[in-house]
Amino acid sequence: MTFLLAAVPFAMASAAVDENFYIFLCFGQSNMEGAAKPEAQDLKSPGPRFLLMPAVDDPQRGRKMGEWCEAVAPLCRPNTGLTPADWFGRTMVESLPKNIKIGVIHVAIGGIDIKGFLPDSIQSYVKRAPGWMKGMLEAYNNNPYERLVTLAKKAQKDGVIKGILMHQGETNTGDPKWAGMVKQVYDHLCSDLQLKPEEVNLYAGNIVQADGKGVCIGCKKQIEELPNTLHTAQVISSDGCTNGPDRLHFDAAGYRELGCRYAEAVARHLGFEPKRPFIEMPKKIEVPADAVTVENAIPGNEFPKIDKERRAYFRIQAPQARKVVVDICGKKYDMQPDGKGGLMAVTDPLPVGFHYYFMNIDGVNFIDPASETYFGCNREAGGLEVPEGSEGDYYRPQVGIPHGQVRSIYYHSPHSKFGEWRHALVYTPAEYETGKKKYPVLYLQHGMGEGETSWMLQGKMQHIMDNAIAKGEAVPMIVVMESGDIKQPFRGGNNQAGRSEYGASFYPVLLYDLIPYIDANFRTKADREYRAMAGLSWGGHQTFDVVLQNLDKFAWMGTFSGAIFGLDVKTAYNGVFADAAAFNKKIHYFYMNWGSEDFIKSQPIVDSLRELGIKVDSSVSEGTGHEFLTWRRGLHEFIPHLFK
């Protein structure tokens, strides 16, 4: 969310100093710079009573250095985050009378040593500063102290400096001279700006504690003892302030809390009773005790999880991310801080079955690092299985039955576009290893944007086959799975020519390279009577294209949510359906299935074929859409009819 805030056209420079315009100087390193992503409540302006004099230009937000504007994150520089100064100003506005305005000048650099603010040390420090800091230093013309003082002098023409806010020390952890150098910076500010120390306190925020495990926890005592060196210093406690996963920076909630504490200390010093503004507290995601880690999680990970209501819970560490979204089942869920340094999201109840999902980090889709990967959506994706009950046992591996193998093969294809080596997977039944028997073959294709591994990983084909064969429901058979040239995105438009071309390059490969390779290298019954083809979605389209134009090579066919569009059954494929008796004699079993919630439904095609006398079996998967549970059910119903 971006707000374009125009500079506020105050004519303060030509008017008398407004004694009711309280100005505060804010300086330090990364925790003053702001390392947390601003959230919605941080991006809503509290109004013209809280102002910022930008220390750098910010064209995106219409800000100019040295010109007052409404104070909304980021206060430091473009692309920085939420800082304690944000909610310091909001709390001050809430606590002080309405005739008092608050202004901040904000100069901070991540990782900077306190020497970077000492006038006598700045130039030598800049020369030896690390490379990653140089751009930040250049934003202040390589002199952050001078930028702070120059703007402060300009601001003094408009209002009165009432305090100095500092958050620095992590870089100087364990430095015995740190407190003395802080005092030098403070003394220089008081001298250069003609401030009276007894009227202008230094408020120093403490560091991230992370329950005693903060990266710079050794600096805590050092900061607490600062008033021993600088009597006008007041330390702002960070006890209980939540942090990000790096244990070095606060999270957004931690910055809000710390900012409110700065303001409460200042308000009391000025004689006002502090009053906090409303802070929207995100509803904490509670993971119920019945939630279990999903089978798709990489071993060793606790998340993702599924509860008994089929809600999914996700967690990720992304300390630098501005916005993280879980995208699953057509809906996006914003992830929120979990108070433990990570981000979490919980979904609505999900349909049973397998679902691809992504985590979108700052506008780019990524795979959840806790998830196994699956090729789908034209790329590797995360996957999540929402389990069925015992009705899903047909696609789960079972104890006490023989198990087949899925082999990875490479074969050379002279008929492919580039005469390339290609990859396929081949399932062989358990008994294949124990004899010399020959087997029928099913060529099984996946859908658009998926790959040759999809039926094995997402579809659990091997378990479906093992279980059906063990029960005697299906005859032992070989199953071959190839990419089909449909892993890449479809770019053919809505015209028939584009649809016909997509994946058609696979047809000569299948007919003249893959089938001969399988017949030559496996014990197959190399005859049309023992050869079947089936496919899901676009694989169903390919099945129609191949089988119906090559009835001399196939005698069995099936589609699962088959992507068959614009089919005139009376004329399609050179009138193959016109003579129903001849067709029914050649195709021994013809099957089509789809989901009740599917966007591709084959019922009209089935009805039209039956009107012509074509024997076609069909089924509807209740409660499922265009997804692998539909296709698992379809395969399970299809294979018992093959080769009998």
Side-chain angles (χ1 to χ4, degrees), residues 8 10 44-51 69-72 90 93 102:
V8 181
F10 297 114
K44 183 179 179 181
S45 171
R49 286 185 59 210
F50 180 29
L51 304 176
C69 63
E70 290 186 10
V72 178
R90 292 169 186 265
V93 165
I102 304 299

Side-chain angles (χ1 to χ4, degrees), residues 567-587:
L567 187 73
D568 182 346
V569 297
K570 295 180 180 179
T571 61
Y573 300 105
N574 298 315
V576 70
F577 299 121
D579 187 339
F583 181 86
N584 293 336
K585 186 177 180 180
K586 290 181 178 179
I587 295 296

Side-chain angles (χ1 to χ4, degrees), residues 402-407 426-434 437 439-440 465-466 469 475-479 523:
H403 297 281
Q405 297 183 12
V406 178
R407 307 164 187 240
V426 180
Y427 166 84
T428 54
E431 65 179 47
Y432 185 87
E433 309 304 317
T434 61
K437 178 181 173 181
Y439 295 88
M465 297 301 303
D466 287 343
I469 292 170
V475 302
M477 67 185 80
I478 293 171
V479 182
R523 299 195 309 275

Side-chain angles (χ1 to χ4, degrees), residues 285-499:
I285 295 175
E286 299 287 351
V287 182
D290 62 43
V292 296
T293 303
V294 300
E295 66 178 69
N296 318 85
I298 294 173
N301 287 280
E302 182 182 2
F303 291 89
K305 284 188 168 185
I306 291 283
D307 67 15
K308 66 180 180 180
E309 303 298 327
R310 304 198 310 272
R311 290 185 294 257
Y313 299 81
F314 300 92
R315 188 175 189 274
I316 191 174
Q317 301 282 105
Q320 303 302 319
R322 300 278 178 179
K323 183 178 180 65
V324 185
V325 174
V326 174
D327 186 345
I328 185 170
C329 293
K331 188 169 182 178
K332 295 178 172 62
Y333 300 87
D334 288 337
M335 301 194 79
Q336 63 185 48
D338 65 357
K340 299 177 182 179
L343 297 167
M344 285 192 70
V346 58
T347 70
D348 297 333
L350 300 172
V352 292
F354 175 88
H355 308 291
Y356 299 113
Y357 76 95
F358 293 96
M359 286 185 171
N360 186 291
I361 302 179
D362 297 338
V364 180
N365 278 347
F366 285 86
I367 304 170
D368 180 356
S371 172
E372 297 282 8
T373 57
Y374 304 84
F375 195 88
C377 310
N378 307 112
R379 57 167 293 178
E380 296 290 346
L384 185 138
E385 184 80 26
V386 181
E388 289 190 283
S390 59
E391 68 273 20
D393 285 347
Y394 71 91
Y395 59 76
R396 299 184 180 113
Q398 301 297 319
V399 175
I401 68 168
H403 297 281
Q405 297 183 12
V406 178
R407 307 164 187 240
S408 173
I409 66 163
Y410 288 87
Y411 68 100
H412 190 256
S413 173
H415 292 88
S416 60
K417 186 175 181 181
F418 301 106
E420 62 205 5
W421 285 91
R422 296 177 66 103
H423 182 233
L425 298 182
V426 180
Y427 166 84
T428 54
E431 65 179 47
Y432 185 87
E433 309 304 317
T434 61
K436 297 181 179 180
K437 178 181 173 181
K438 293 185 176 182
Y439 295 88
V441 184
L442 166 62
Y443 290 85
L444 184 62
Q445 290 305 117
H446 57 83
M448 180 187 296
E450 293 167 336
E452 63 270 29
T453 62
S454 297
W455 265 112
M456 178 184 70
L457 297 178
Q458 294 97 294
K460 302 180 183 290
M461 171 280 312
Q462 67 278 23
H463 305 317
I464 296 173
M465 297 301 303
D466 287 343
N467 295 333
I469 292 170
K471 289 182 177 181
E473 296 173 350
V475 302
M477 67 185 80
I478 293 171
V479 182
V480 181
M481 296 152 284
E482 223 266 17
S483 74
D485 293 345
I486 56 173
K487 295 173 83 168
Q488 74 277 15
F490 174 72
R491 298 187 177 93
N494 293 321
N495 60 79
Q496 184 62 41
R499 289 197 294 267

Side-chain angles (χ1 to χ4, degrees), residues 41-44 46 50 86-94 277:
Q41 60 184 318
D42 309 311
L43 296 170
K44 183 179 179 181
F50 180 29
D86 282 285
W87 284 80
F88 162 78
R90 292 169 186 265
T91 306
M92 290 293 289
V93 165
E94 192 73 19

Side-chain angles (χ1 to χ4, degrees), residues 77-150:
R77 298 185 309 279
N79 303 317
T80 56
L82 192 66
T83 90
D86 282 285
W87 284 80
F88 162 78
R90 292 169 186 265
T91 306
M92 290 293 289
V93 165
E94 192 73 19
S95 302
L96 273 57
K98 295 187 183 299
N99 65 320
I100 296 177
K101 295 190 295 290
I102 304 299
V104 294
I105 300 171
H106 201 287
V107 175
I109 295 175
I112 195 168
D113 190 292
I114 192 63
K115 295 184 181 71
F117 290 100
L118 271 175
D120 297 336
S121 303
I122 290 171
Q123 294 308 313
S124 61
Y125 180 78
V126 168
K127 290 179 181 178
R128 58 182 175 81
W132 52 265
M133 189 186 292
K134 295 202 178 285
M136 294 184 280
L137 287 164
E138 288 171 0
Y140 301 115
N141 198 28
N142 290 317
N143 196 325
Y145 177 84
E146 183 180 82
R147 180 66 54 86
L148 184 63
V149 169
T150 298

